[in-house]
Amino acid sequence: MIARVRAGQPEAYAQLVRAHTAIALRAAAALGAGADAEDVVQQAFVKAYCALGRFRDGAAFRPWLLSIVANETRNTVRAAARRRTLAGREAALVGADPVIPESADPAAATLETERRAALLAALEKLSEEHRLVVTYRYLLEMDERETAEALGWPRGTVKSRLNRALRRLRRLLPDVRPGETREGGAPA
């Protein structure tokens, strides 16, 4: 696909944009772009297009694009000189990708919403590098190799930072475990 873009076929880049817009929006929202997520993603696609000459043949496009989205998000947040609130990030994440289907049990939906809010609050307490690695690996569902490529870190660094971040999250979220409820720890 990249070769087609480099050969002057604009429709090939349009296909790349269509294929990666949703994940790019999720990344921008998860990294704090909030209401600016669409602008961040649009600017990231423009920068990616301009930088295609430096794109390594054989490399995966998604991690490369998401690293541009992360940088653009960081720049936008710094330029705005304000921090996004937890509520703004949560709203952006929920708006970007529905978590709970409308047909879900209201009690289960409430529990899931509480868990999500607790997770987002705990993520806010992590260092930026730990928040980034958890966001890429789990919220954006990237595998270890893609996470390493997107962050520009060696795989060993991804593993160690992810391990430390998850240990910290366990301390921050002692009552929230996958597959458990808060009452007695019975499986959900």
Side-chain angles (χ1 to χ4, degrees), residues 7 19 25 45 60-61 66 73 87 101 107 114 123 125 153 165 177 186:
L25 284 169
F45 276 116
F61 182 76
L66 291 180
T73 300
E114 288 174 5
L123 281 172
K125 294 177 183 176
W153 299 344
R177 295 280 186 255

Coordinates of all heavy atoms in Angstrom, one line a residue, residues 7 19 25 45 60-61 66 73 87 101 107 114 123 125 153 165 177 186:
A7 N 4.1 5.8 -5.3 CA 4.0 5.8 -6.8 C 3.0 6.9 -7.3 O 2.8 7.0 -8.5 CB 3.6 4.4 -7.3
A19 N -8.7 2.9 7.0 CA -8.4 1.7 7.8 C -7.8 2.0 9.2 O -8.0 1.2 10.1 CB -7.3 0.8 7.0
L25 N -8.1 7.7 16.4 CA -9.0 8.5 17.2 C -9.0 8.0 18.7 O -8.9 8.8 19.6 CB -10.4 8.6 16.7 CG -10.6 9.5 15.5 CD1 -12.0 9.2 14.9 CD2 -10.5 10.9 15.9
F45 N -2.2 12.4 10.2 CA -2.3 11.8 8.9 C -1.6 12.7 7.9 O -0.9 12.2 7.0 CB -3.7 11.6 8.4 CG -4.3 10.3 8.9 CD1 -5.4 10.2 9.8 CD2 -3.7 9.1 8.5 CE1 -5.9 9.0 10.2 CE2 -4.2 7.9 9.0 CZ -5.3 7.9 9.8
A60 N 5.6 -2.0 10.0 CA 4.1 -1.9 10.1 C 3.7 -0.5 10.2 O 4.3 0.3 10.9 CB 3.7 -2.7 11.4
F61 N 2.6 -0.1 9.4 CA 2.2 1.2 9.4 C 1.5 1.7 10.7 O 1.7 2.8 11.1 CB 1.2 1.4 8.2 CG 0.7 2.8 8.0 CD1 1.5 3.7 7.4 CD2 -0.6 3.2 8.4 CE1 1.1 5.0 7.2 CE2 -1.1 4.5 8.2 CZ -0.2 5.4 7.6
L66 N 0.7 5.6 14.9 CA 0.3 5.9 16.3 C 1.4 6.6 17.1 O 1.1 7.4 18.0 CB -0.2 4.6 17.0 CG -1.5 4.0 16.5 CD1 -1.8 2.7 17.3 CD2 -2.6 5.0 16.6
T73 N -0.6 14.5 19.7 CA -1.4 14.7 20.9 C -0.6 15.5 22.0 O -1.1 16.4 22.6 CB -1.9 13.4 21.5 OG1 -2.7 12.7 20.5 CG2 -2.7 13.6 22.7
A87 N -12.8 13.5 33.5 CA -14.1 13.4 32.9 C -14.0 13.6 31.4 O -14.7 12.9 30.6 CB -15.0 14.4 33.5
P101 N -22.8 -2.5 25.6 CA -23.9 -2.6 24.7 C -25.2 -2.1 25.3 O -25.3 -2.3 26.5 CB -24.0 -4.0 24.2 CG -23.1 -4.8 25.2 CD -22.2 -3.9 25.9
A107 N -27.3 -3.5 36.0 CA -26.3 -3.7 37.1 C -24.9 -3.9 36.6 O -24.0 -3.3 37.1 CB -26.8 -4.8 38.0
E114 N -18.3 1.9 36.7 CA -17.5 2.2 37.9 C -16.0 1.7 37.7 O -15.1 2.4 38.1 CB -18.1 1.6 39.1 CG -19.4 2.2 39.5 CD -20.1 1.5 40.7 OE1 -19.5 0.5 41.2 OE2 -21.2 1.9 41.0
L123 N -5.0 5.4 36.0 CA -4.1 5.7 34.9 C -3.5 7.2 35.1 O -2.4 7.4 34.8 CB -4.8 5.6 33.6 CG -4.9 4.2 33.1 CD1 -5.8 4.1 31.8 CD2 -3.5 3.6 32.8
K125 N -2.8 8.6 37.7 CA -1.8 8.7 38.7 C -0.4 8.1 38.3 O 0.6 8.2 39.0 CB -2.3 7.9 40.0 CG -3.5 8.7 40.6 CD -4.0 7.9 41.8 CE -5.2 8.6 42.3 NZ -5.9 7.8 43.4
W153 N 10.6 2.2 21.7 CA 11.4 1.6 22.8 C 11.7 0.2 22.4 O 11.0 -0.5 21.6 CB 10.5 1.5 24.0 CG 10.1 2.8 24.6 CD1 10.5 4.1 24.3 CD2 9.0 3.0 25.6 NE1 9.8 5.0 25.1 CE2 8.9 4.3 25.9 CE3 8.2 2.1 26.2 CZ2 8.0 4.8 26.8 CZ3 7.3 2.6 27.1 CH2 7.1 4.0 27.4
A165 N 4.2 -0.8 35.6 CA 2.9 -0.1 35.5 C 1.7 -0.9 36.0 O 0.9 -0.4 36.8 CB 2.6 0.4 34.1
R177 N -10.5 -6.4 39.9 CA -9.7 -7.5 39.3 C -10.6 -8.0 38.1 O -11.8 -8.1 38.3 CB -9.4 -8.6 40.2 CG -8.5 -8.2 41.4 CD -7.1 -8.2 40.9 NE -6.2 -8.0 42.0 CZ -5.6 -6.9 42.3 NH1 -5.7 -5.9 41.5 NH2 -4.8 -6.8 43.3
A186 N -16.2 -13.0 44.1 CA -16.7 -14.1 43.4 C -16.6 -13.7 41.9 O -16.7 -12.6 41.5 CB -18.2 -14.3 43.7

